[in-house]
Amino acid sequence: VLVVSEQGEAIGVDLGGQSLKLAMVDAAGRVYLHRHTPLDAGRPVEEITALVVQAIAGLQADAKREGLVPRCVGMVMPGYMDRDRTRLLFAANLPTLNGGGFLAGLRQAVNVPMVFDADSNAAAYAEYRFGAGRGIERLIVVAIGTGIGAGVMIGGAILRIWNHIAGSLGHVIVDPRGRRCPCGARGCVETVASGPALERLAAELADRYPDSSLAAWRTKAGRLTGIEIAAALAEQDAAAAEAVRECGWWLGVAIASWAVIYRPHKVVIGGGIAALGEPLLEAIRAGLTDVGQPSCTADLAIEPARLGPDAGLIGAAALAREETCM
Ligand SMILES: [Zn+2]
């Protein structure tokens, strides 16, 4: 059933390192006419530009058939932008787009106003407007995936300290004698609590406990990703539980540091790895209370995200609507 409101439709676009997702989003944050295209992030900027422009035109045509005329487009991606958000300065997962005229070229080729932002900001804005962070005065929304991204909302506004983001929260150092991070620092929370960190730890535990469900799932699937770890966890496997406990605990340690800076009332946990659910949240809370400043962390709520993988494009459309005065 297509749910279509009378006004306020905007197009939300989420450009990631592996896929391009877009949809119509109405003023209540409802998503319809979803499109999803795989993306080879190594392609030249001209090809990626053409892909995005074609996808938007296709969605506009779909919308027209439903009697809808989206009046703006919000597009989000990982990385950060210059002062007036007209240039993408750096996106680790989209190397050919860095520093050039990608955003300006898109704006020229698309026939309605276009607004750009960081995906972490858009997800935070979406959870604040429509999801688990509704009305929260000081809110952090985390996405655990290939890396750890986070957006910060203060009094309903996106916190933009540097290059339009609140800071590189995934690179807060939690283990100074730990692993070197690709960013050049040592012991960033990304090195111990991201998706790849969880997979690495799970592989070590599967080696150590060959009779575990974790080891059995690795044999069956030929790999050990979040899906297999979740399956082993559902079978009450002790090795899987240990992997989740360890990674979650480290994220809790990072949140304890974020908490003394931003004083959040709530931290919302999203991203692919968040599908591990309550065991992960429990581990995060344990890390937070084990090391955090009690006066700052005692009332800090840790809750799951509500909007799932569409949070970025929902926030993108809402930001576009707001910034183009619809
Ligand atoms: Zn780092």
Side-chain angles (χ1 to χ4, degrees):
V1 177
L2 200 61
V3 181
V4 177
S5 74
E6 289 299 307
Q7 54 182 323
E9 282 82 13
I11 291 178
V13 184
D14 188 347
L15 177 65
Q18 291 169 338
S19 70
L20 173 69
K21 293 187 297 181
L22 58 165
M24 293 281 288
V25 183
D26 73 10
R30 284 175 298 211
V31 173
Y32 39 98
L33 301 180
H34 219 282
R35 282 176 167 240
H36 189 184
T37 315
L39 177 79
D40 176 357
R43 305 306 300 168
V45 60
E46 297 78 17
E47 277 182 40
I48 296 179
T49 303
L51 184 76
V52 175
V53 170
Q54 278 163 22
I56 291 172
L59 186 59
Q60 283 174 320
D62 291 349
K64 199 172 174 189
R65 275 192 289 279
E66 305 292 337
L68 302 170
V69 184
R71 283 191 283 171
C72 56
V73 178
M75 187 176 108
V76 296
M77 61 229 111
Y80 35 84
M81 276 159 254
D82 68 348
R83 178 177 280 274
D84 50 5
R85 277 183 276 157
T86 54
R87 223 155 57 88
L88 186 62
L89 298 177
F90 181 75
N93 296 327
L94 297 160
T96 63
L97 308 184
N98 290 341
F102 172 62
L103 301 183
L106 275 180
R107 198 170 260 157
Q108 235 167 22
V110 171
N111 59 2
V112 289
M114 219 172 164
V115 168
F116 304 106
D117 217 321
D119 56 2
S120 53
N121 286 344
Y125 189 68
E127 290 289 344
Y128 176 82
R129 287 284 308 277
F130 310 113
R134 216 174 293 192
I136 300 295
E137 171 69 16
R138 291 190 300 275
L139 171 73
I140 300 179
V141 176
V142 191
I144 319 171
T146 311
I148 294 177
V152 181
M153 299 287 302
I154 305 290
I158 295 169
L159 183 64
R160 303 178 186 276
I161 291 178
W162 169 82
N163 288 336
H164 289 285
I165 56 176
S168 303
L169 274 68
H171 298 277
V172 158
I173 293 162
V174 292
D175 186 9
R177 297 192 203 282
R179 280 169 188 272
R180 187 66 72 181
C181 177
C183 80
R186 189 187 290 281
C188 299
V189 65
E190 269 195 18
T191 67
V192 282
S194 62
L198 175 66
E199 290 170 12
R200 189 186 62 234
L201 179 60
E204 285 168 18
L205 289 164
D207 290 341
R208 199 182 312 160
Y209 304 108
D211 297 330
S212 63
S213 294
L214 206 52
W217 274 105
R218 180 168 62 179
T219 307
K220 197 188 293 183
R223 58 185 189 166
L224 215 40
T225 68
I227 294 165
E228 290 75 41
I229 297 165
L233 193 64
E235 294 169 355
Q236 319 289 332
D237 181 56
E242 187 178 334
V244 172
R245 209 161 47 233
E246 174 82 2
C247 284
W249 189 87
W250 282 116
L251 182 58
V253 171
I255 292 173
S257 289
W258 302 345
V260 291
I261 301 168
Y262 301 110
R263 294 269 162 173
H265 298 98
K266 187 184 277 191
V267 177
V268 168
I269 310 294
I273 296 300
L276 291 165
E278 197 52 36
L280 178 69
L281 296 173
E282 277 307 313
I284 293 169
R285 292 182 191 116
L288 182 65
T289 50
D290 280 353
V291 308
Q293 188 186 98
S295 67
C296 176
T297 57
D299 297 324
L300 173 48
I302 306 288
E303 288 184 14
R306 289 224 190 110
L307 301 178
D310 285 337
L313 61 85
I314 293 170
L319 285 166
R321 195 180 299 115
E322 184 172 281
E323 293 181 18
T324 58
C325 304
M326 270 176 70

